[in-house]
Amino acid sequence: MVILSVLITVFLQAMKFPKFADLILFEDDDIIVVNKPPFISSLDEREGGDVNMLRLAKAYSDDAQICHRLDKETSGALIIAKNPEAYRFVSMQFEKRQVKKVYHAIIDGTHVFEDLLVDLPILNVGKGNVTISRQEGKRAETWFKSLKYFKHYTLVECRPVTGRMHQIRIHLATQRASIAGDEMYKGQPVFLSKIKRKYHLGKDQEEQPIMKRFALHAYEVTFKLLNGEPVTIHAPYPKDFETLLKQLEKFDA
């Protein structure tokens, strides 16, 4: 365990990831909630694979288990159980849809969503791909509410009732409101040249998107602790999400 912890620390320093302890938003004897960084998987993707949140959690607390998944590129609130009893308790809340999750997304275009419910069944077709299928898909519901408008983009609150793979991403795509940077669902990367007037790129320079992933963040989670007390944990925006918002406020308002 000590060797694993040292290896993980070296990896995180090389990748400029913060220490696991620095990610913690809440902790008691049974539960940890962390603000998951982007570009790190929740669980093992393959045998031997990269460092992931489960491995980091186990290096911090031996019996840790991840209670739910976030996509690799998605940042934000992730619940981790420190013992089997806590894992069962939180998992049961997810199963009964008693956990309230709030995500924030920056989407292509200006869209007025006033508590819009998207109720479209999702079919997992394998290899990380899903599709909408009214015949074979499993029930999937998401509520959407516009929070802030820009000329070319909208900041949206997303409240999934169910927890299907890529649910928020594909539900937004059905509304022609793909998440910025989500190329799997036809979302376009945000370039400064699109929103800033008289933008000039240096000679022989290739413009990079403001945010190098899709703009989705697990902003808040509400659930019950083992003593029955409800708790709401808020996860601040990571640097890349916050930077994109600031650039939109400055040049696309």
Side-chain angles (χ1 to χ4, degrees), residues 2-214:
V2 173
I3 294 173
L4 174 62
S5 194
V6 170
L7 288 173
I8 286 172
T9 300
V10 170
F11 172 85
L12 292 182
Q13 288 170 346
M15 295 297 290
K16 295 184 180 178
F17 280 124
K19 295 177 182 176
F20 183 83
D22 294 337
L23 302 175
I24 295 173
L25 301 168
F26 170 88
E27 182 177 10
D28 65 8
D29 291 340
D30 304 295
I31 299 288
I32 307 168
V33 181
V34 296
N35 194 354
K36 183 185 97 61
F39 306 115
I40 183 165
S41 301
S42 298
L43 302 170
D44 284 323
E45 292 186 303
R46 58 191 175 275
E47 204 64 39
D50 299 330
V51 168
N52 55 65
M53 293 309 298
L54 178 60
R55 292 189 193 183
L56 296 179
K58 283 185 175 296
Y60 179 83
S61 180
D62 289 356
D63 293 328
Q65 290 291 334
I66 305 293
C67 296
H68 59 117
R69 292 190 190 198
L70 294 177
D71 287 341
K72 187 173 184 176
E73 289 187 35
T74 304
S75 54
L78 183 70
I79 306 172
I80 299 167
K82 294 167 77 172
N83 54 65
E85 183 187 1
Y87 179 73
R88 285 191 297 271
F89 188 76
V90 175
S91 296
M92 193 58 65
Q93 291 180 66
F94 274 103
E95 196 173 312
K96 294 180 178 178
R97 294 177 185 150
Q98 295 170 339
V99 179
K100 294 180 181 176
K101 295 165 287 179
V102 177
Y103 291 73
H104 283 186
I106 298 169
I107 59 175
D108 293 338
T110 302
H111 300 271
V112 180
F113 297 146
E114 296 180 354
D115 282 327
L116 167 72
L117 174 63
V118 177
D119 181 4
L120 292 170
I122 293 174
L123 176 65
N124 187 336
V125 294
K127 295 184 178 179
N129 295 308
V130 301
T131 187
I132 300 294
S133 174
R134 296 182 186 275
Q135 289 74 36
E136 302 174 73
K138 292 184 177 180
R139 178 176 163 235
E141 297 180 2
T142 317
W143 293 90
F144 297 103
K145 181 180 180 181
S146 299
L147 298 177
K148 193 161 191 175
Y149 303 102
F150 303 98
K151 288 178 183 174
H152 300 95
Y153 301 93
T154 310
L155 175 65
V156 176
E157 177 185 274
C158 319
R159 303 189 309 276
V161 179
T162 49
R164 309 296 175 206
M165 180 188 286
H166 296 187
Q167 178 174 316
I168 293 171
R169 298 165 63 189
I170 196 168
H171 273 179
L172 281 168
T174 66
Q175 307 304 302
R176 297 184 179 179
S178 298
I179 297 174
D182 192 0
E183 295 182 5
M184 179 178 276
Y185 297 103
K186 300 183 178 179
Q188 299 299 311
V190 185
F191 292 98
L192 194 56
S193 58
K194 181 178 177 180
I195 60 174
K196 184 179 179 181
R197 294 178 65 188
K198 298 180 181 178
Y199 174 81
H200 295 293
L201 193 65
K203 190 180 179 182
D204 298 326
Q205 284 187 319
E206 184 180 345
E207 187 179 6
Q208 297 296 317
I210 298 171
M211 191 170 177
K212 296 180 180 179
R213 63 178 175 108
F214 54 79

